[in-house]
Amino acid sequence: MSGIAILNQIIERTRADLSVRQAAVPVEALQERAKHQAPPRPFAQALRRSGQITCISEVKRRSPSAGWIRETADAVDVARRYQAGGAAAISVLTDQPFFGGTLDDLVQVKAAVDLPILRKDFMIDPYQVVEARAFGADAILLIVAALPDATISQLLAQAHDLKMDVLVETHDEAEIARALSVGASLIGINHRDLRTFAMDMDLAVRMRSKIPNDRILVAESGLKTSADVARMKAGGIDAVLVGEGLMRQQDPGQALRQLLEAA
């Protein structure tokens, strides 16, 4: 199956699952729950450290491209190891069908560590933004390839109203331009093109000059070695997002520590 077919399949499944959740839990109930959450932890601020490259470490059991990575992973155990290993923030995948994650993972990880938490999912509807805050997320992901500009702007503004940061993910120069046009201040560049699954490990560094220096730039996907991270740092990247490369190691936290120390 092609990358674009899988992307469309994920979005269709996301819409179907979302309809079930909306029928079970009205958005008003989520809004009430969100009011009782502690203020969001500063996600974007945690990523920019002078002279250093930081890491968003991801709790990731599986992916459509790699299959199962760590099927029985305990999200809390992994998150605590990441915090001990020097993570700046933690990404928690909450999509179950394609990534093996749950909203319960988000709740439990948030309670177990002191770091800012990113809800990583295919966000397509305002309901999910409220849901993210209600379950404790400090930041959300918006994928330019999956959304029209009007929806990106709507969800971005809604997240900011809830005091959450937003990582806006791009895959090429045109998507970067779209992200900048809607005012994104935290921009991810995914080395994996979600439409083809092709990897371009130099993409983030090549695109650095297209992004103003006052924006925070995150390189995503395919980063597995300290040399990969060092290359990102040398190219002016502020942070990396690493999931599979850490989750495949016996001790993800120790692997993270080694990755950052060597870089």
Side-chain angles (χ1 to χ4, degrees):
M1 187 180 292
S2 69
I4 189 66
I6 292 175
L7 177 59
N8 289 337
Q9 185 181 24
I10 291 172
I11 292 173
E12 288 171 9
R13 178 59 187 266
T14 298
R15 290 192 189 282
D17 289 349
L18 179 58
S19 294
V20 173
R21 297 204 304 279
Q22 286 174 315
V25 182
V27 69
E28 292 80 9
L30 291 178
Q31 290 168 337
E32 186 63 28
R33 176 170 173 167
K35 290 178 184 177
H36 296 286
Q37 292 289 335
R41 299 167 186 168
F43 180 82
Q45 180 181 319
L47 301 184
R48 179 168 273 178
R49 297 177 188 169
S50 180
Q52 299 181 46
I53 189 164
T54 58
C55 185
I56 307 167
S57 302
E58 188 159 86
V59 179
K60 184 177 187 178
R61 295 188 182 95
R62 66 165 295 164
S63 78
S65 59
W68 286 107
I69 298 164
R70 200 183 185 107
E71 184 172 359
T72 60
D74 181 321
V76 167
D77 177 64
V78 172
R80 285 174 173 160
R81 290 176 185 271
Y82 281 156
Q83 179 166 273
I90 294 177
S91 168
V92 178
L93 281 151
T94 60
D95 172 272
Q96 199 284 323
F98 296 92
F99 293 90
T102 68
L103 281 165
D104 281 345
D105 290 332
L106 179 65
V107 173
Q108 292 171 19
V109 168
K110 180 64 179 284
V113 300
D114 300 324
L115 301 175
I117 309 297
L118 169 73
R119 179 191 182 183
K120 191 136 177 276
D121 209 325
F122 286 77
M123 310 291 284
I124 58 173
D125 189 274
Y127 182 93
Q128 293 169 288
V129 180
V130 180
E131 185 179 56
R133 182 83 277 267
F135 281 80
D138 305 299
I140 61 167
L141 177 79
L142 297 179
I143 302 174
V144 172
L147 298 166
D149 288 359
T151 303
I152 298 172
S153 295
Q154 178 189 17
L155 301 184
L156 189 70
Q158 183 185 13
H160 287 164
D161 285 345
L162 292 169
K163 310 302 181 186
M164 289 190 291
D165 287 317
V166 181
L167 176 59
V168 180
E169 180 177 294
T170 63
H171 302 84
D172 56 32
E173 188 171 348
E175 290 184 3
I176 290 170
R178 289 176 59 199
L180 293 173
S181 74
V182 297
S185 59
L186 180 54
I187 297 176
I189 297 182
N190 196 332
H191 294 137
R192 176 181 288 109
D193 189 326
L194 295 185
R195 292 158 295 203
T196 65
F197 281 173
M199 295 289 289
D200 180 352
M201 293 305 298
D202 295 316
L203 181 63
V205 172
R206 287 204 316 276
M207 292 295 106
R208 185 67 188 93
S209 63
K210 311 296 181 183
I211 299 169
N213 288 331
D214 64 341
R215 315 300 167 94
I216 298 173
L217 181 56
V218 181
E220 307 173 29
S221 292
L223 300 157
K224 297 179 179 178
T225 69
S226 56
D228 293 335
V229 178
R231 191 168 71 254
M232 295 300 107
K233 181 182 177 183
I237 308 302
D238 297 297
V240 293
L241 190 153
V242 186
E244 181 180 344
L246 298 174
M247 293 293 292
R248 288 194 183 278
Q249 305 305 310
Q250 183 174 359
D251 184 340
Q254 179 63 22
L256 171 62
R257 184 179 295 108
Q258 293 171 349
L259 200 69
L260 292 174
E261 287 176 353

